[in-house]
Amino acid sequence: NYQVYGVSGCCFAFNKLTFEKVFPLDENIFLYNEEWLLSEMSFRKNLRTMVNKNAVILHMHGATTKKIKMFSYYCFIKSEFYVLRTLFPKFLILNLIILLMRLPKFLFVYLKERIKN
């Protein structure tokens, strides 16, 4: 086992002490970026995040969202922007730059879905 900053949201577990320090989960996040927020909260509270090198996880990336690409990408952007504002409120300009960087792909996905339907 080894210590890391954070882990993927597809599979993680908490002990009772950690659970009490970082939960409840923030209800403003839907589908994406919750692990980033949990990782930073754990880091700021001096909690360790460990990876079990013997664990095997099969994660079907996008299996539940592939038919709703625009909605899922919108949720990703919204959650990412929320996490950035929450964790780094003094860096509003950087947050806006990242949001603007996401805009072209969002428009592409949106237009692609509109044309398909």
Side-chain angles (χ1 to χ4, degrees):
N1 297 340
Y2 51 95
Q3 187 171 347
V4 295
Y5 168 76
V7 294
S8 170
C10 72
C11 182
F12 56 85
F14 293 93
N15 64 23
K16 185 177 187 250
L17 175 66
T18 302
F19 183 87
E20 290 170 350
K21 288 187 176 187
V22 298
F23 277 79
L25 288 174
D26 193 319
E27 293 180 7
N28 293 295
I29 299 175
F30 178 65
L31 283 178
Y32 300 101
N33 293 301
E34 68 280 352
E35 62 268 78
W36 185 22
L37 189 57
L38 288 170
S39 298
E40 185 61 25
M41 288 169 51
S42 297
F43 177 78
R44 290 178 181 189
K45 294 181 180 187
N46 293 316
L47 300 169
R48 292 181 301 155
T49 301
M50 306 296 291
V51 171
N52 180 342
K53 63 183 179 181
N54 297 317
V56 177
I57 308 324
L58 175 62
H59 181 44
M60 307 299 282
H61 290 276
T64 58
T65 59
K66 65 183 164 191
K67 291 186 168 78
I68 55 167
K69 290 186 189 230
M70 191 200 55
F71 177 71
S72 66
Y73 194 63
Y74 167 76
C75 290
F76 170 78
I77 293 170
K78 185 177 176 190
S79 291
E80 180 181 56
F81 191 58
Y82 174 79
V83 169
L84 285 168
R85 282 190 347 250
T86 302
L87 295 177
F88 309 106
K90 294 180 181 177
F91 297 100
L92 183 60
I93 298 298
L94 180 61
N95 295 344
L96 292 173
I97 290 169
I98 292 171
L99 182 64
L100 289 173
M101 290 171 45
R102 300 284 186 218
L103 191 58
K105 181 177 178 181
F106 178 74
L107 292 173
F108 175 76
V109 171
Y110 173 77
L111 291 173
K112 189 174 172 185
E113 271 192 25
R114 294 286 292 178
I115 291 169
K116 190 189 291 186
N117 297 330

PDB file of all heavy atoms in Angstrom, residues 33-62:
ATOM      1  N   ASN A  33     -16.003  15.177 -10.279  1.00  0.00           N
ATOM      2  CA  ASN A  33     -15.117  16.003  -9.450  1.00  0.00           C
ATOM      3  C   ASN A  33     -15.289  15.843  -7.951  1.00  0.00           C
ATOM      4  O   ASN A  33     -14.623  16.523  -7.180  1.00  0.00           O
ATOM      5  CB  ASN A  33     -15.242  17.488  -9.832  1.00  0.00           C
ATOM      6  CG  ASN A  33     -14.704  17.746 -11.207  1.00  0.00           C
ATOM      7  OD1 ASN A  33     -13.540  17.478 -11.473  1.00  0.00           O
ATOM      8  ND2 ASN A  33     -15.545  18.240 -12.097  1.00  0.00           N
ATOM      9  N   GLU A  34     -16.144  14.952  -7.505  1.00  0.00           N
ATOM     10  CA  GLU A  34     -16.292  14.761  -6.064  1.00  0.00           C
ATOM     11  C   GLU A  34     -15.005  14.221  -5.448  1.00  0.00           C
ATOM     12  O   GLU A  34     -14.659  14.569  -4.323  1.00  0.00           O
ATOM     13  CB  GLU A  34     -17.479  13.850  -5.721  1.00  0.00           C
ATOM     14  CG  GLU A  34     -17.330  12.405  -6.136  1.00  0.00           C
ATOM     15  CD  GLU A  34     -17.611  12.145  -7.606  1.00  0.00           C
ATOM     16  OE1 GLU A  34     -18.067  13.044  -8.318  1.00  0.00           O
ATOM     17  OE2 GLU A  34     -17.361  11.003  -8.045  1.00  0.00           O
ATOM     18  N   GLU A  35     -14.268  13.388  -6.189  1.00  0.00           N
ATOM     19  CA  GLU A  35     -13.037  12.849  -5.637  1.00  0.00           C
ATOM     20  C   GLU A  35     -11.972  13.925  -5.466  1.00  0.00           C
ATOM     21  O   GLU A  35     -11.178  13.879  -4.544  1.00  0.00           O
ATOM     22  CB  GLU A  35     -12.502  11.677  -6.451  1.00  0.00           C
ATOM     23  CG  GLU A  35     -12.119  11.986  -7.881  1.00  0.00           C
ATOM     24  CD  GLU A  35     -13.241  11.765  -8.856  1.00  0.00           C
ATOM     25  OE1 GLU A  35     -14.129  12.642  -8.921  1.00  0.00           O
ATOM     26  OE2 GLU A  35     -13.232  10.760  -9.572  1.00  0.00           O
ATOM     27  N   TRP A  36     -11.975  14.927  -6.326  1.00  0.00           N
ATOM     28  CA  TRP A  36     -11.027  16.027  -6.201  1.00  0.00           C
ATOM     29  C   TRP A  36     -11.324  16.826  -4.934  1.00  0.00           C
ATOM     30  O   TRP A  36     -10.430  17.152  -4.160  1.00  0.00           O
ATOM     31  CB  TRP A  36     -11.104  16.908  -7.433  1.00  0.00           C
ATOM     32  CG  TRP A  36     -10.100  18.026  -7.487  1.00  0.00           C
ATOM     33  CD1 TRP A  36      -8.912  18.097  -6.809  1.00  0.00           C
ATOM     34  CD2 TRP A  36     -10.198  19.206  -8.242  1.00  0.00           C
ATOM     35  NE1 TRP A  36      -8.275  19.276  -7.118  1.00  0.00           N
ATOM     36  CE2 TRP A  36      -9.034  19.966  -7.994  1.00  0.00           C
ATOM     37  CE3 TRP A  36     -11.153  19.706  -9.117  1.00  0.00           C
ATOM     38  CZ2 TRP A  36      -8.813  21.202  -8.593  1.00  0.00           C
ATOM     39  CZ3 TRP A  36     -10.914  20.935  -9.707  1.00  0.00           C
ATOM     40  CH2 TRP A  36      -9.756  21.668  -9.452  1.00  0.00           C
ATOM     41  N   LEU A  37     -12.594  17.118  -4.712  1.00  0.00           N
ATOM     42  CA  LEU A  37     -12.989  17.847  -3.510  1.00  0.00           C
ATOM     43  C   LEU A  37     -12.675  17.028  -2.255  1.00  0.00           C
ATOM     44  O   LEU A  37     -12.122  17.546  -1.287  1.00  0.00           O
ATOM     45  CB  LEU A  37     -14.468  18.208  -3.569  1.00  0.00           C
ATOM     46  CG  LEU A  37     -14.998  19.153  -2.502  1.00  0.00           C
ATOM     47  CD1 LEU A  37     -14.240  20.469  -2.502  1.00  0.00           C
ATOM     48  CD2 LEU A  37     -16.478  19.410  -2.700  1.00  0.00           C
ATOM     49  N   LEU A  38     -12.990  15.742  -2.276  1.00  0.00           N
ATOM     50  CA  LEU A  38     -12.695  14.877  -1.126  1.00  0.00           C
ATOM     51  C   LEU A  38     -11.186  14.766  -0.889  1.00  0.00           C
ATOM     52  O   LEU A  38     -10.733  14.762   0.257  1.00  0.00           O
ATOM     53  CB  LEU A  38     -13.288  13.488  -1.333  1.00  0.00           C
ATOM     54  CG  LEU A  38     -14.800  13.404  -1.215  1.00  0.00           C
ATOM     55  CD1 LEU A  38     -15.292  12.040  -1.681  1.00  0.00           C
ATOM     56  CD2 LEU A  38     -15.239  13.668   0.215  1.00  0.00           C
ATOM     57  N   SER A  39     -10.422  14.674  -1.962  1.00  0.00           N
ATOM     58  CA  SER A  39      -8.966  14.575  -1.827  1.00  0.00           C
ATOM     59  C   SER A  39      -8.394  15.818  -1.176  1.00  0.00           C
ATOM     60  O   SER A  39      -7.571  15.733  -0.263  1.00  0.00           O
ATOM     61  CB  SER A  39      -8.320  14.366  -3.196  1.00  0.00           C
ATOM     62  OG  SER A  39      -8.752  13.166  -3.770  1.00  0.00           O
ATOM     63  N   GLU A  40      -8.841  16.987  -1.640  1.00  0.00           N
ATOM     64  CA  GLU A  40      -8.325  18.230  -1.080  1.00  0.00           C
ATOM     65  C   GLU A  40      -8.791  18.428   0.361  1.00  0.00           C
ATOM     66  O   GLU A  40      -8.021  18.879   1.214  1.00  0.00           O
ATOM     67  CB  GLU A  40      -8.740  19.418  -1.956  1.00  0.00           C
ATOM     68  CG  GLU A  40      -8.142  20.742  -1.525  1.00  0.00           C
ATOM     69  CD  GLU A  40      -6.624  20.802  -1.562  1.00  0.00           C
ATOM     70  OE1 GLU A  40      -5.993  20.040  -2.324  1.00  0.00           O
ATOM     71  OE2 GLU A  40      -6.058  21.628  -0.809  1.00  0.00           O
ATOM     72  N   MET A  41     -10.039  18.076   0.652  1.00  0.00           N
ATOM     73  CA  MET A  41     -10.527  18.182   2.031  1.00  0.00           C
ATOM     74  C   MET A  41      -9.719  17.263   2.946  1.00  0.00           C
ATOM     75  O   MET A  41      -9.343  17.649   4.061  1.00  0.00           O
ATOM     76  CB  MET A  41     -12.009  17.818   2.097  1.00  0.00           C
ATOM     77  CG  MET A  41     -12.922  18.868   1.490  1.00  0.00           C
ATOM     78  SD  MET A  41     -14.636  18.321   1.288  1.00  0.00           S
ATOM     79  CE  MET A  41     -15.048  17.687   2.888  1.00  0.00           C
ATOM     80  N   SER A  42      -9.454  16.064   2.485  1.00  0.00           N
ATOM     81  CA  SER A  42      -8.656  15.118   3.281  1.00  0.00           C
ATOM     82  C   SER A  42      -7.246  15.645   3.485  1.00  0.00           C
ATOM     83  O   SER A  42      -6.700  15.585   4.587  1.00  0.00           O
ATOM     84  CB  SER A  42      -8.606  13.752   2.583  1.00  0.00           C
ATOM     85  OG  SER A  42      -9.889  13.195   2.491  1.00  0.00           O
ATOM     86  N   PHE A  43      -6.643  16.170   2.417  1.00  0.00           N
ATOM     87  CA  PHE A  43      -5.292  16.717   2.501  1.00  0.00           C
ATOM     88  C   PHE A  43      -5.237  17.870   3.499  1.00  0.00           C
ATOM     89  O   PHE A  43      -4.339  17.936   4.344  1.00  0.00           O
ATOM     90  CB  PHE A  43      -4.839  17.185   1.111  1.00  0.00           C
ATOM     91  CG  PHE A  43      -3.493  17.828   1.098  1.00  0.00           C
ATOM     92  CD1 PHE A  43      -2.350  17.053   1.158  1.00  0.00           C
ATOM     93  CD2 PHE A  43      -3.372  19.209   1.022  1.00  0.00           C
ATOM     94  CE1 PHE A  43      -1.090  17.652   1.143  1.00  0.00           C
ATOM     95  CE2 PHE A  43      -2.133  19.813   1.016  1.00  0.00           C
ATOM     96  CZ  PHE A  43      -0.991  19.034   1.080  1.00  0.00           C
ATOM     97  N   ARG A  44      -6.215  18.777   3.428  1.00  0.00           N
ATOM     98  CA  ARG A  44      -6.239  19.946   4.319  1.00  0.00           C
ATOM     99  C   ARG A  44      -6.486  19.566   5.775  1.00  0.00           C
ATOM    100  O   ARG A  44      -6.134  20.323   6.673  1.00  0.00           O
ATOM    101  CB  ARG A  44      -7.287  20.944   3.850  1.00  0.00           C
ATOM    102  CG  ARG A  44      -6.911  21.628   2.546  1.00  0.00           C
ATOM    103  CD  ARG A  44      -7.954  22.574   2.059  1.00  0.00           C
ATOM    104  NE  ARG A  44      -7.562  23.183   0.793  1.00  0.00           N
ATOM    105  CZ  ARG A  44      -8.203  24.165   0.212  1.00  0.00           C
ATOM    106  NH1 ARG A  44      -9.292  24.680   0.772  1.00  0.00           N
ATOM    107  NH2 ARG A  44      -7.794  24.656  -0.940  1.00  0.00           N
ATOM    108  N   LYS A  45      -7.064  18.399   6.005  1.00  0.00           N
ATOM    109  CA  LYS A  45      -7.321  17.929   7.371  1.00  0.00           C
ATOM    110  C   LYS A  45      -6.296  16.892   7.818  1.00  0.00           C
ATOM    111  O   LYS A  45      -6.486  16.196   8.805  1.00  0.00           O
ATOM    112  CB  LYS A  45      -8.740  17.356   7.460  1.00  0.00           C
ATOM    113  CG  LYS A  45      -9.797  18.430   7.259  1.00  0.00           C
ATOM    114  CD  LYS A  45     -11.187  17.886   7.359  1.00  0.00           C
ATOM    115  CE  LYS A  45     -12.177  19.023   7.144  1.00  0.00           C
ATOM    116  NZ  LYS A  45     -13.540  18.640   7.389  1.00  0.00           N
ATOM    117  N   ASN A  46      -5.194  16.805   7.068  1.00  0.00           N
ATOM    118  CA  ASN A  46      -4.089  15.893   7.379  1.00  0.00           C
ATOM    119  C   ASN A  46      -4.529  14.428   7.455  1.00  0.00           C
ATOM    120  O   ASN A  46      -4.002  13.665   8.265  1.00  0.00           O
ATOM    121  CB  ASN A  46      -3.374  16.308   8.672  1.00  0.00           C
ATOM    122  CG  ASN A  46      -2.661  17.631   8.519  1.00  0.00           C
ATOM    123  OD1 ASN A  46      -2.003  17.869   7.508  1.00  0.00           O
ATOM    124  ND2 ASN A  46      -2.820  18.493   9.495  1.00  0.00           N
ATOM    125  N   LEU A  47      -5.468  14.058   6.615  1.00  0.00           N
ATOM    126  CA  LEU A  47      -5.893  12.660   6.519  1.00  0.00           C
ATOM    127  C   LEU A  47      -5.127  12.010   5.369  1.00  0.00           C
ATOM    128  O   LEU A  47      -4.890  12.632   4.340  1.00  0.00           O
ATOM    129  CB  LEU A  47      -7.396  12.568   6.268  1.00  0.00           C
ATOM    130  CG  LEU A  47      -8.276  13.196   7.342  1.00  0.00           C
ATOM    131  CD1 LEU A  47      -9.714  13.284   6.862  1.00  0.00           C
ATOM    132  CD2 LEU A  47      -8.200  12.380   8.619  1.00  0.00           C
ATOM    133  N   ARG A  48      -4.757  10.766   5.545  1.00  0.00           N
ATOM    134  CA  ARG A  48      -4.010  10.057   4.504  1.00  0.00           C
ATOM    135  C   ARG A  48      -4.964   9.347   3.546  1.00  0.00           C
ATOM    136  O   ARG A  48      -5.973   8.801   3.963  1.00  0.00           O
ATOM    137  CB  ARG A  48      -3.057   9.035   5.112  1.00  0.00           C
ATOM    138  CG  ARG A  48      -1.921   9.673   5.887  1.00  0.00           C
ATOM    139  CD  ARG A  48      -0.988   8.657   6.451  1.00  0.00           C
ATOM    140  NE  ARG A  48      -1.765   7.782   7.346  1.00  0.00           N
ATOM    141  CZ  ARG A  48      -1.432   6.539   7.654  1.00  0.00           C
ATOM    142  NH1 ARG A  48      -0.336   6.013   7.176  1.00  0.00           N
ATOM    143  NH2 ARG A  48      -2.182   5.821   8.460  1.00  0.00           N
ATOM    144  N   THR A  49      -4.583   9.360   2.276  1.00  0.00           N
ATOM    145  CA  THR A  49      -5.295   8.592   1.258  1.00  0.00           C
ATOM    146  C   THR A  49      -4.341   7.509   0.787  1.00  0.00           C
ATOM    147  O   THR A  49      -3.236   7.803   0.328  1.00  0.00           O
ATOM    148  CB  THR A  49      -5.719   9.491   0.076  1.00  0.00           C
ATOM    149  OG1 THR A  49      -6.555  10.536   0.577  1.00  0.00           O
ATOM    150  CG2 THR A  49      -6.459   8.691  -0.972  1.00  0.00           C
ATOM    151  N   MET A  50      -4.770   6.278   0.925  1.00  0.00           N
ATOM    152  CA  MET A  50      -3.915   5.141   0.605  1.00  0.00           C
ATOM    153  C   MET A  50      -4.484   4.357  -0.570  1.00  0.00           C
ATOM    154  O   MET A  50      -5.698   4.275  -0.745  1.00  0.00           O
ATOM    155  CB  MET A  50      -3.800   4.209   1.812  1.00  0.00           C
ATOM    156  CG  MET A  50      -3.341   4.883   3.096  1.00  0.00           C
ATOM    157  SD  MET A  50      -1.667   5.547   3.020  1.00  0.00           S
ATOM    158  CE  MET A  50      -0.719   4.047   2.966  1.00  0.00           C
ATOM    159  N   VAL A  51      -3.595   3.772  -1.357  1.00  0.00           N
ATOM    160  CA  VAL A  51      -3.984   2.882  -2.446  1.00  0.00           C
ATOM    161  C   VAL A  51      -3.568   1.472  -2.081  1.00  0.00           C
ATOM    162  O   VAL A  51      -2.433   1.236  -1.661  1.00  0.00           O
ATOM    163  CB  VAL A  51      -3.315   3.299  -3.775  1.00  0.00           C
ATOM    164  CG1 VAL A  51      -3.536   2.246  -4.853  1.00  0.00           C
ATOM    165  CG2 VAL A  51      -3.832   4.640  -4.231  1.00  0.00           C
ATOM    166  N   ASN A  52      -4.491   0.552  -2.224  1.00  0.00           N
ATOM    167  CA  ASN A  52      -4.195  -0.863  -2.004  1.00  0.00           C
ATOM    168  C   ASN A  52      -3.695  -1.422  -3.330  1.00  0.00           C
ATOM    169  O   ASN A  52      -4.461  -1.570  -4.283  1.00  0.00           O
ATOM    170  CB  ASN A  52      -5.448  -1.603  -1.545  1.00  0.00           C
ATOM    171  CG  ASN A  52      -5.206  -3.075  -1.309  1.00  0.00           C
ATOM    172  OD1 ASN A  52      -4.231  -3.648  -1.776  1.00  0.00           O
ATOM    173  ND2 ASN A  52      -6.117  -3.698  -0.591  1.00  0.00           N
ATOM    174  N   LYS A  53      -2.418  -1.748  -3.406  1.00  0.00           N
ATOM    175  CA  LYS A  53      -1.823  -2.192  -4.674  1.00  0.00           C
ATOM    176  C   LYS A  53      -2.364  -3.544  -5.141  1.00  0.00           C
ATOM    177  O   LYS A  53      -2.190  -3.913  -6.292  1.00  0.00           O
ATOM    178  CB  LYS A  53      -0.300  -2.236  -4.562  1.00  0.00           C
ATOM    179  CG  LYS A  53       0.214  -3.230  -3.548  1.00  0.00           C
ATOM    180  CD  LYS A  53       1.709  -3.156  -3.445  1.00  0.00           C
ATOM    181  CE  LYS A  53       2.181  -4.158  -2.404  1.00  0.00           C
ATOM    182  NZ  LYS A  53       3.605  -4.132  -2.229  1.00  0.00           N
ATOM    183  N   ASN A  54      -3.066  -4.257  -4.273  1.00  0.00           N
ATOM    184  CA  ASN A  54      -3.632  -5.553  -4.661  1.00  0.00           C
ATOM    185  C   ASN A  54      -5.082  -5.451  -5.144  1.00  0.00           C
ATOM    186  O   ASN A  54      -5.640  -6.435  -5.620  1.00  0.00           O
ATOM    187  CB  ASN A  54      -3.562  -6.529  -3.479  1.00  0.00           C
ATOM    188  CG  ASN A  54      -2.123  -6.810  -3.066  1.00  0.00           C
ATOM    189  OD1 ASN A  54      -1.258  -7.002  -3.900  1.00  0.00           O
ATOM    190  ND2 ASN A  54      -1.873  -6.788  -1.772  1.00  0.00           N
ATOM    191  N   ALA A  55      -5.666  -4.270  -5.033  1.00  0.00           N
ATOM    192  CA  ALA A  55      -7.062  -4.103  -5.446  1.00  0.00           C
ATOM    193  C   ALA A  55      -7.160  -4.102  -6.973  1.00  0.00           C
ATOM    194  O   ALA A  55      -6.292  -3.570  -7.665  1.00  0.00           O
ATOM    195  CB  ALA A  55      -7.626  -2.805  -4.892  1.00  0.00           C
ATOM    196  N   VAL A  56      -8.213  -4.713  -7.468  1.00  0.00           N
ATOM    197  CA  VAL A  56      -8.481  -4.732  -8.909  1.00  0.00           C
ATOM    198  C   VAL A  56      -9.876  -4.147  -9.122  1.00  0.00           C
ATOM    199  O   VAL A  56     -10.848  -4.627  -8.545  1.00  0.00           O
ATOM    200  CB  VAL A  56      -8.420  -6.172  -9.468  1.00  0.00           C
ATOM    201  CG1 VAL A  56      -8.760  -6.181 -10.948  1.00  0.00           C
ATOM    202  CG2 VAL A  56      -7.056  -6.780  -9.215  1.00  0.00           C
ATOM    203  N   ILE A  57      -9.937  -3.093  -9.936  1.00  0.00           N
ATOM    204  CA  ILE A  57     -11.205  -2.418 -10.194  1.00  0.00           C
ATOM    205  C   ILE A  57     -11.451  -2.432 -11.700  1.00  0.00           C
ATOM    206  O   ILE A  57     -10.576  -2.092 -12.479  1.00  0.00           O
ATOM    207  CB  ILE A  57     -11.165  -0.935  -9.745  1.00  0.00           C
ATOM    208  CG1 ILE A  57     -10.722  -0.657  -8.351  1.00  0.00           C
ATOM    209  CG2 ILE A  57     -12.499  -0.263 -10.008  1.00  0.00           C
ATOM    210  CD1 ILE A  57     -10.947  -1.388  -7.204  1.00  0.00           C
ATOM    211  N   LEU A  58     -12.642  -2.817 -12.091  1.00  0.00           N
ATOM    212  CA  LEU A  58     -13.055  -2.707 -13.490  1.00  0.00           C
ATOM    213  C   LEU A  58     -14.059  -1.568 -13.555  1.00  0.00           C
ATOM    214  O   LEU A  58     -15.145  -1.651 -12.978  1.00  0.00           O
ATOM    215  CB  LEU A  58     -13.695  -4.014 -13.982  1.00  0.00           C
ATOM    216  CG  LEU A  58     -14.270  -3.966 -15.388  1.00  0.00           C
ATOM    217  CD1 LEU A  58     -13.176  -3.679 -16.416  1.00  0.00           C
ATOM    218  CD2 LEU A  58     -14.968  -5.277 -15.706  1.00  0.00           C
ATOM    219  N   HIS A  59     -13.663  -0.493 -14.229  1.00  0.00           N
ATOM    220  CA  HIS A  59     -14.520   0.693 -14.310  1.00  0.00           C
ATOM    221  C   HIS A  59     -14.877   0.926 -15.769  1.00  0.00           C
ATOM    222  O   HIS A  59     -14.009   1.122 -16.607  1.00  0.00           O
ATOM    223  CB  HIS A  59     -13.793   1.898 -13.728  1.00  0.00           C
ATOM    224  CG  HIS A  59     -14.595   3.159 -13.733  1.00  0.00           C
ATOM    225  ND1 HIS A  59     -15.914   3.221 -13.368  1.00  0.00           N
ATOM    226  CD2 HIS A  59     -14.254   4.425 -14.058  1.00  0.00           C
ATOM    227  CE1 HIS A  59     -16.354   4.458 -13.468  1.00  0.00           C
ATOM    228  NE2 HIS A  59     -15.363   5.207 -13.898  1.00  0.00           N
ATOM    229  N   MET A  60     -16.136   0.919 -16.080  1.00  0.00           N
ATOM    230  CA  MET A  60     -16.624   1.103 -17.447  1.00  0.00           C
ATOM    231  C   MET A  60     -16.830   2.596 -17.694  1.00  0.00           C
ATOM    232  O   MET A  60     -17.950   3.093 -17.626  1.00  0.00           O
ATOM    233  CB  MET A  60     -17.916   0.322 -17.653  1.00  0.00           C
ATOM    234  CG  MET A  60     -17.825  -1.141 -17.284  1.00  0.00           C
ATOM    235  SD  MET A  60     -16.617  -2.048 -18.251  1.00  0.00           S
ATOM    236  CE  MET A  60     -17.527  -2.250 -19.753  1.00  0.00           C
ATOM    237  N   HIS A  61     -15.751   3.317 -17.939  1.00  0.00           N
ATOM    238  CA  HIS A  61     -15.799   4.775 -18.112  1.00  0.00           C
ATOM    239  C   HIS A  61     -16.894   5.178 -19.090  1.00  0.00           C
ATOM    240  O   HIS A  61     -16.912   4.744 -20.229  1.00  0.00           O
ATOM    241  CB  HIS A  61     -14.454   5.309 -18.601  1.00  0.00           C
ATOM    242  CG  HIS A  61     -13.382   5.226 -17.579  1.00  0.00           C
ATOM    243  ND1 HIS A  61     -13.222   6.200 -16.627  1.00  0.00           N
ATOM    244  CD2 HIS A  61     -12.446   4.284 -17.340  1.00  0.00           C
ATOM    245  CE1 HIS A  61     -12.211   5.863 -15.849  1.00  0.00           C
ATOM    246  NE2 HIS A  61     -11.724   4.716 -16.260  1.00  0.00           N
ATOM    247  N   GLY A  62     -17.811   5.994 -18.626  1.00  0.00           N
ATOM    248  CA  GLY A  62     -18.858   6.521 -19.479  1.00  0.00           C
ATOM    249  C   GLY A  62     -19.983   5.556 -19.802  1.00  0.00           C
ATOM    250  O   GLY A  62     -20.859   5.879 -20.588  1.00  0.00           O
TER     251      GLY A  62
END
